[in-house]
Amino acid sequence: MAVSDALRANGVDAPLAGSGFARVPAAYWAVGFILLIMPVFAGSFWLFQIFGWSFCLGIIALSLMFLAGYGGMVSLVQMTVAALAGYTVAILGTSGVQQISLGMPWWLYIPVAIIIAVIFATLVGALAVRTEGIYTIMITLAIASAFFYFTRQNYDIFNGYSGFNLVVPPRLFGVDWRQPTAFYYLSLGMAVLCYLAVLYVARSPFGLALQGVRDNPRRMAAMGFNVTAHRIAAYAFSGVIAAIGGILLVWQNTQVAPFTAGIPAVIDILIIAVIGGLRRPIGPFVGAFIYVLLSTFSPDVLSSFGLSTERFKLLVGLGFLAVVFFSPDGALGLWDRWRERQRKNLDPLTGQPRTAGTA
Amino acid sequence: MTDFTRRHPLWSLIIVVLVALLLWLILAPWTPGVEAVLGRKRVFLNAIFGGLTLGALYFLVASGFTLIFGLMRNVNLAHGSLYLLGGYIGYVVSNVTGELWITLPVVFIVVALLGLLLQHQVFRRMEGQELRQTMVTIGLSVVLADLMLWVWGGQSYTLQTPQWLTGPATLPIVVGADRSGNPVYMRFPQVRIAILVMAIIIGVAMWLVLNRTRLGMLIRAGVDDREMLTASGVRIHYVFLAVFGFGAGLAGIAGVVGGTFQSLAPGEDTRFLLASLVVVIVGGMGSIPGAALGALIIGLVEQIGLVYAPTYSVVFTFLIMALVLAFRPQGLMGSRR
């Protein structure tokens, strides 16, 4: 039931509407076009700090959405996987800490970073899938904090408390990828790639089986599916996405430190995914955009109300509480319900808006 | 106990040998060979006793957590915030009154009232939705942490220990001999001994209430089968309220206790939340003896690790958790459901 719901939400049950590009709704084209020409009218602050950051956080939250939405496993370890990938980039590539960084070429350290992050995510997954539901949250939270403490204490590899600074993207094709416009397109491209990958995997046989496992693991096991293997594979796939987001995030900040994956950061990813909505892959990006807007502009808003500008966390926390209270499926859930109400107002026969007399 | 020895003779033997070894290490005077391996006896004993005290504190925090979880299936991730809040309120109250025996009940009542409010106004509205409840507690912990930062700022506080508990006590345990050959006895802060005794008293009292009273019977029945208990005419919401209030109040008391020998600062809430998570995972969800065992293990490991491998002492605790998860996912004292 829930699988068919998810499919309908993804537009799968509309084969008559054509195939390929023709099936993409017009609104998506409009949003895509606006995002593409954004550098024409947006300043570098918006491109880099708002959109670049949103895409990075959105990709990491997308990996959580994949696990939670399609796999039914709420994992708090995604930020840790992302930070591990960032750390690997800093250690193998170049950074301000020259006695540790190895200075390898980019075509080596990026794949290695993703592979290491995926191995870590798989190991965590193998441990976490032994548990279910809220236990998973607790165990992944504990693993995430173990990583935080470990990186904070370890000076030989992770450079302890201060971490690595000056981690910049490589100069490729003569472009400095840290320039706002270049980074904007890089992060946008990666976000779209990850989004499409999640969409594709969710509709592949593996993704459908995973959703079946989410809805009824016992029945899937009885049908001969290896439930544990599917769940661990989901962790591995989400590890790839988290790693990509983590590398981008490190490039955007130019630094990676234990606090990149501290408890508040780990919880922020959950907040982002929940605020956006855990049911569709676009949700995390919506949530990340809201979160980034809040964190960037809340000092202004708060000071205009005469409050201290440091109360940003309070605002985010209250917003998160409100979302969990009133709309468990996030901002997208609100949107869906609004659409539903609009549709109910249409006359089923004519498709015209109902007037007071005919209703 | 006899049941356990009959079923696992090998494990019982290992446990007995380990306990005997530990007792020997604590009571017997050390030979130079042992000192060469483990360092000075005084350091070792301090680590053991520090671990016991820390374990006692962890038990105070984790027992409320595990009780709430066991009955309501509610992972209260705001439990650490209740701990820190209790500590701060204790700081304020003890500055006004200056007496520990007034501070503890006041903090217990205030934090328990907050717990009652949370259970009655928030969690009752989303019963059975475990994930949503957990998310709400995460949001609450974020909000509470920021509110506490607002009120009490970023500096760290320490509660004054009462007059009659300051200074060290001499324990009848020999740590070595001075130059003239007289035995030197171990000295340990009185406050920590008091904390240990208090935790043991609270633990025993909880065990008695759970196993000997009508309320305890209701709680145990609720842990085992909530629906059946409701069906047999028990107003389970009152049981829920009592347990949640008690668990929250216990966390508040633990905050006061923790404030006397650790510091109260932002970030301590997540530290103690994680500690209780690990304790409860190691010991077994919803089991009070499990919480005691887990707290003992984690406290000892943390302190011994701090002495013998200071860099990675935190990692040891998580290693233990991973081992327990890998080989006994329900926890050491947990039961499979």
Side-chain angles (χ1 to χ4, degrees):
Chain A
M1 179 60 202
V3 174
S4 59
D5 274 349
L7 292 183
R8 208 167 299 132
N10 290 337
V12 167
D13 64 342
L16 294 178
S19 65
F21 288 109
R23 232 171 19 181
V24 179
Y28 280 55
W29 287 112
V31 171
F33 183 70
I34 292 174
L35 284 177
L36 263 185
I37 62 159
M38 186 69 77
V40 175
F41 50 83
S44 58
F45 172 78
W46 273 83
L47 287 183
F48 191 73
Q49 284 298 336
I50 304 288
F51 284 104
W53 195 22
S54 301
F55 290 137
C56 297
L57 290 178
I59 293 173
I60 301 173
L62 177 68
S63 74
L64 169 61
M65 177 270 144
F66 178 79
L67 277 181
Y70 296 125
M73 301 170 281
V74 179
S75 152
L76 291 180
V77 89
Q78 299 307 320
M79 190 64 220
T80 307
V81 174
L84 182 65
Y87 264 118
T88 316
V89 163
I91 291 166
L92 298 182
T94 53
S95 79
V97 188
Q98 278 162 1
Q99 57 270 33
I100 295 178
S101 292
L102 298 173
M104 288 182 184
W106 66 270
W107 48 264
L108 194 59
Y109 69 67
I110 294 179
V112 169
I114 294 179
I115 288 169
I116 287 181
V118 169
I119 291 173
F120 177 70
T122 314
L123 287 179
V124 171
L127 206 58
V129 295
R130 298 178 65 91
T131 57
E132 281 199 343
I134 34 188
Y135 294 88
T136 313
I137 294 186
M138 292 203 257
I139 277 134
T140 49
L141 181 62
I143 292 172
S145 50
F147 181 83
F148 165 71
Y149 286 119
F150 184 77
T151 51
R152 207 179 60 172
Q153 302 284 356
N154 184 309
Y155 280 85
D156 298 332
I157 304 172
F158 292 104
N159 201 30
Y161 193 82
S162 48
F164 296 86
N165 56 353
L166 295 177
V167 189
V168 288
R171 278 188 81 90
L172 277 186
F173 317 116
V175 180
D176 180 4
W177 290 100
R178 239 188 85 72
Q179 287 304 311
T181 314
F183 188 82
Y184 172 80
Y185 280 119
L186 177 68
S187 53
L188 174 65
M190 282 298 150
V192 170
L193 210 64
C194 291
Y195 173 73
L196 292 179
V198 167
L199 271 190
Y200 176 78
V201 169
R203 294 180 202 178
S204 67
F206 164 69
L208 294 179
L210 186 66
Q211 291 167 56
V213 168
R214 170 197 65 193
D215 293 337
N216 197 333
R218 291 180 71 180
R219 198 177 293 174
M220 291 303 277
M223 282 163 69
F225 286 91
N226 188 338
V227 168
T228 314
H230 273 81
R231 286 180 170 160
I232 296 179
Y235 269 96
F237 175 71
S238 78
V240 178
I241 294 174
I244 293 173
I247 294 172
L248 285 175
L249 189 67
V250 168
W251 283 344
Q252 202 253 357
N253 286 329
T254 70
Q255 63 163 342
V256 56
F259 287 97
T260 312
I263 317 294
V266 163
I267 287 179
D268 280 348
I269 291 297
L270 177 70
I271 291 181
I272 287 172
V274 171
I275 286 184
L278 281 173
R279 281 170 58 193
R280 268 180 289 165
I282 199 71
F285 293 104
V286 175
F289 189 58
I290 295 174
Y291 175 85
V292 168
L293 281 183
L294 264 181
S295 68
T296 313
F297 294 109
S298 66
D300 303 337
V301 176
L302 285 174
S303 61
S304 70
F305 281 110
L307 284 163
S308 163
T309 53
E310 292 159 10
R311 299 277 78 82
F312 144 67
K313 278 279 166 199
L314 192 62
L315 207 64
V316 171
L318 286 175
F320 177 73
L321 269 184
V323 166
V324 177
F325 254 117
F326 300 113
S327 173
D329 41 0
L332 283 181
L334 283 180
W335 167 253
D336 285 345
R337 252 167 280 146
W338 185 74
R339 284 272 297 271
E340 195 70 24
R341 205 170 304 148
Q342 293 294 306
R343 204 168 298 150
K344 269 185 196 146
N345 284 338
L346 295 184
D347 193 280
L349 283 178
T350 59
Q352 298 299 313
R354 277 180 187 169
T355 54
T358 56
Chain B
M1 196 67 194
T2 51
D3 197 36
F4 181 80
T5 48
R6 201 172 302 131
R7 268 187 302 155
H8 309 277
L10 190 64
W11 274 110
S12 328
L13 189 68
I14 292 175
I15 291 173
V16 166
V17 168
L18 279 180
V19 169
L21 188 70
L22 195 66
L23 279 179
W24 181 78
L25 278 176
I26 292 173
L27 295 176
W30 284 16
T31 57
V34 179
E35 292 217 344
V37 179
L38 287 175
R40 307 207 30 194
K41 190 182 177 187
R42 189 197 306 268
V43 177
F44 174 77
L45 276 187
N46 267 322
I48 294 280
F49 277 82
L52 284 178
T53 335
L54 193 64
L57 181 59
Y58 283 168
F59 172 72
L60 286 184
V61 189
S63 52
F65 185 79
T66 198
L67 206 60
I68 292 173
F69 177 82
L71 185 64
M72 286 168 262
R73 307 270 119 200
N74 177 3
V75 179
N76 181 13
L77 292 183
H79 204 71
S81 312
L82 295 176
Y83 164 87
L84 191 58
L85 185 67
Y88 280 139
I89 294 176
Y91 178 79
V92 172
V93 174
S94 74
N95 269 358
V96 174
T97 62
E99 290 287 347
L100 194 67
W101 55 271
I102 302 179
T103 310
L104 283 178
V106 168
V107 168
F108 181 86
I109 290 169
V110 170
V111 181
L113 280 180
L114 180 69
L116 290 183
L117 196 73
L118 282 180
Q119 166 64 21
H120 191 259
Q121 290 302 317
V122 181
F123 299 120
R124 212 187 57 173
R125 290 168 195 264
M126 38 188 81
E127 207 168 286
Q129 302 163 298
E130 298 169 357
L131 205 60
R132 207 167 146 209
Q133 286 186 342
T134 312
M135 302 250 193
V136 167
T137 59
I138 288 179
L140 278 174
S141 70
V142 171
V143 170
L144 281 176
D146 204 65
L147 284 176
M148 286 188 280
L149 186 67
W150 195 356
V151 176
W152 283 286
Q155 70 266 46
S156 70
Y157 296 87
T158 310
L159 263 81
Q160 283 290 322
T161 37
Q163 201 71 54
W164 50 277
L165 275 179
T166 41
T170 308
L171 299 180
I173 298 172
V174 184
V175 286
D178 59 7
R179 287 210 187 88
S180 53
N182 294 325
V184 175
Y185 291 100
M186 181 171 172
R187 292 161 73 78
F188 197 68
Q190 278 188 339
V191 189
R192 300 197 168 203
I193 297 173
I195 291 171
L196 194 59
V197 171
M198 187 175 127
I200 292 173
I201 290 175
I202 291 183
V204 170
M206 265 163 73
W207 188 85
L208 284 178
V209 168
L210 273 180
N211 288 293
R212 292 281 183 273
T213 63
R214 186 179 143 75
L215 177 68
M217 201 168 68
L218 289 180
I219 292 172
R220 278 182 295 137
V223 169
D224 285 343
D225 194 332
R226 207 162 64 185
E227 284 77 20
M228 208 55 220
L229 183 66
T230 322
S232 53
V234 174
R235 299 225 172 154
I236 197 156
H237 281 298
Y238 294 130
V239 184
F240 280 5
L241 276 175
V243 168
F244 205 101
F246 180 73
L250 215 53
I253 283 190
V256 178
V257 170
T260 55
F261 82 105
Q262 310 234 326
S263 59
L264 298 168
E268 289 293 293
D269 49 349
T270 39
R271 200 192 128 205
F272 274 87
L273 170 66
L274 286 170
S276 33
L277 275 183
V278 174
V279 163
V280 167
I281 290 172
V282 168
M285 299 282 176
S287 146
I288 296 289
L293 183 66
L296 192 66
I297 292 175
I298 297 301
L300 280 176
V301 164
E302 211 175 302
Q303 287 295 310
I304 292 176
L306 213 59
V307 171
Y308 292 104
T311 326
Y312 297 116
S313 78
V314 189
V315 181
F316 285 135
T317 50
F318 291 104
L319 205 64
I320 286 184
M321 187 198 75
L323 283 177
V324 169
L325 273 179
F327 295 106
R328 203 176 151 81
Q330 74 270 34
L332 293 176
M333 308 279 257
S335 55
R336 231 176 241 288
R337 286 177 204 283

